[in-house]
Amino acid sequence: MSAFLEDVSSWYPAAATSSLSSATAAPADGVDRISALPDDILREVISRLPVRDGARTAALANRWRGLWRSTPLVLRDSDLLLESTLEDNAARDAAFAAVGRILADHPGPFRKVQLTCCEFGSRERELVEWVRLLAAKDVQDLVLLDVDDAAGELVHSLPADILSCTSLQRLFLSYWKFPYTSSDVIFPHLKKLGMQFTNMMDEDLDHMLACCPVLQVLALCLSKIPQRIHLHSQSLQCMLLWMYMAGELAVVDASCLQRLILWMTCNERESGDRPMLVKIHRAPKLRVLGYLEPRVHQLQIGNIVINDKTKESPSSIVPSVKILALKVNFCASKEVNMLPSFLRCFPNVETLHIESSIIGVATGSHHAKFWREVLPVECLKSHVKKIVIHNFRVDRNEFEFLKFIAKGARKLQDLVLVLTKEISASEHQVAAVNIQLALRICSWPWAEGFKMTLMGTTDDHAPAFLRASNLSDKAAAFTAVGRILADHRGPFRKVHLTCCEFGSRQRELVQWARLLAAKGVQELLLFDVDDPAQPRVQPLPADILSCASLQYLTLGCWRFPCTSCWRFPCTSTDVVFPYLKKLSMQHTNMRDEDLDHMLSCSPVLEILALILSQFPGRIRLRSQSLKCMLLWMYFAEEVAVVDAPCLQRLILWMAWAGNLRDDHRPLMVKIHRAPNLSVLGFLEPSVHQLQIGNIVINAETKASPSSIVPSVKTLALKLCFDAFDEVKMLPSFLRCFPNVETLHIESSILSEATARPHAKFWLEVLPIECLKSHIKKIVIHKFRGGRNEFEFLRFIANGARKLQDLVLVMPKEISASFSGSVG
């Protein structure tokens, strides 16, 4: 749904920030190289300027005089209000008059026209004339918002000439009454249609769908007319109802429909006696559906109305749906009773989203008996791989549903519980239950295979799927694992050993490593859980290096064997893991030279994760295949990207200097050669020393070709805005990454703060290239409303010319005092 909403949101205009006044000075030799460009390129440049500046280009020189008029028009009336506030009536009247002149004077065609600031009110004559001009000059993308009374639901009549805009490809309307439709072909090229607070007769929508042969996306938002929505379309791919009240939504014949999104929809009458009918007759390609709510929706498939007694049959299912979203109150018996019936209607669902609601009539009873008596559900038994429960409240009835999942979801790989903000002390209970469920879920594939082996019905040559966490008795598990590894012929597709306590069982461990290598293990997860509270590393058998078939390796609580002098028993090759793609090590010690050797001898390694450790202390990345490197809660002296041409992400999360007793010894982060590095962070000025090439970055470092990493697009930093030593480093860090488009900053309070304001510092900071020309989104995490944080926001407001989104994520402890600081 998020991808679709982003697409819809793109119809809203974004305030342009570029201006001719910000153009750089002419070159010293006086040659006008821009004017020497071909006309097509100049027209493209003009089309990207705000309309005010685009028209002014005609005054530059004779070369430019006719270019604006011959460029397809891009008009946003918001561009005409940049020098005044939206509340300035005189400025709005001037903008209205300017829009009229532009529409009349420009010969067309009109590529994009977005009118979102004009108050039409009694200006119906001008509106009619504008719509005629839009139709005559082939407008392609039109956003039309009447803001005369945007706070209420007052709608004005849209001129019928809008139906003459046959060139339209995208249309978004807000606060209008749609005209009566009568022509055969209304919008022959229209692909996307969005209507917000726009009234339309039922028959007009039917006619629109029939007369828009290439319409792909339809969005109806914040309205209740039309009341009966019947989808007859051979082109429609996505339908969105958002905060909409309708009596009926019927997918009658939509052969291309892939997504049907219902978000906060209901009947106009909110009584439970009259639900909103959701009918699905013919939608052979429908893949995404939801949120269906038993409380407010009545589902009908074909001619069958779904109720809690409905049995699965070919005429009551939609087999194409792969992603299903439901919203249920687990304490409401009527809604819980409907849940299995809804699931049976979609037997091939692979991803299931359920929002746990508190809206509705709660019975207060527990539903354990109900879930025990529910017959197996096909989608859970055979297809569902991922379940996400949103707004999880740690309620007893929610846990009963989780038990039902654990019993029947045999293909489940991911179970995600998204907790509500109110959950506090009970979070440990959720974690415990989640772990128990994970253990049970992990046991199913192996347990089923073991039963088949006992019955003599399985193929002994099938790849083994083994997890040591299947058995509650660890001693018995250890013995069983040894027998399985010895008896099964292999190959071993996946072996997870997470519950075995090796301790003094080194002989068995060595034998297991040899069996894993001999039988072609592909994925290995190996944890020594001798004492999880105080992890103690033990030597890992050198035979692990003989597992040449490994593709995924995860190690926990081990001391890695020496690799520099290792040779395979049957060959003299230096390749340790020729097929290894992902390597993760937690609480695992490794010598610096062994990591260097591993990287050089793993030719297809793409992901390396080092977690909760401090060895190796010097990490030097030399790899022609590595794409992602993660250091998480790690102590190191140095992280150096020496030569990593494929590296895309370097993630440092709570990565500190290796010597905790020396507060003045930072973790060195060196970047020498990483031409494809696009994501970097979190860099912390208080604990990291950044070096690019041979240049150590400090507060006085100026941007130069040898001190920048131009490939980085997403940068994350962590600093205390009250610590002046850290604030001074922020501009220098930003100058090192001139092409950053997304910037994350976590506001910290861990450092020793000076508590003095830094307004003067920010006033004296020279322009920064990434802020001036590239950054589109800035997210400040843990924003506390401090004075120095606001000084940085002012600096952003003055310098970030391309900024589209500024997100302030506040910590939980922020209280009512924040509003005072904002004021």
Side-chain angles (χ1 to χ4, degrees), residues 386-403:
K386 181 176 182 178
I387 297 178
V388 183
I389 301 182
H390 305 265
N391 292 340
F392 190 81
R393 294 176 174 81
V394 201
D395 178 81
R396 178 172 176 179
N397 284 313
E398 292 173 327
F399 281 118
E400 295 299 338
F401 177 67
L402 291 185
K403 292 176 183 176

Side-chain angles (χ1 to χ4, degrees), residues 28-138:
D29 58 10
V31 177
D32 184 1
R33 295 184 177 86
I34 295 180
S35 295
L37 295 171
D39 286 357
D40 290 343
I41 295 179
L42 294 180
R43 292 190 185 99
E44 184 64 25
V45 171
I46 292 174
S47 70
R48 296 177 182 273
L49 293 173
V51 66
R52 181 193 301 272
D53 291 339
R56 287 175 177 172
T57 58
L60 292 176
N62 291 336
R63 173 76 174 84
W64 293 77
R65 185 161 298 169
L67 288 176
W68 178 74
R69 290 177 57 83
S70 63
T71 300
L73 180 66
V74 176
L75 170 62
R76 301 179 182 88
D77 60 351
S78 59
D79 291 342
L80 303 172
L81 289 168
L82 291 179
E83 297 177 1
S84 306
T85 64
L86 294 177
E87 289 75 17
D88 190 333
N89 292 330
R92 297 176 75 92
D93 291 341
F96 192 95
V99 169
R101 290 195 301 271
I102 293 170
L103 293 177
D105 293 346
H106 197 286
F110 293 166
R111 178 186 298 172
K112 181 182 295 185
V113 177
Q114 297 183 346
L115 306 179
T116 62
C117 300
C118 292
E119 296 180 0
F120 292 99
S122 60
R123 296 164 168 167
E124 294 183 5
R125 185 174 61 183
E126 290 89 341
L127 176 60
V128 171
E129 179 61 23
W130 288 10
V131 172
R132 288 176 182 170
L133 289 171
L134 292 169
K137 297 180 181 180
D138 295 334

Side-chain angles (χ1 to χ4, degrees), residues 794-805:
R794 290 192 181 98
F795 174 72
I796 291 174
N798 291 330
R801 299 177 181 176
K802 299 291 184 180
L803 188 65
Q804 298 174 2
D805 296 315

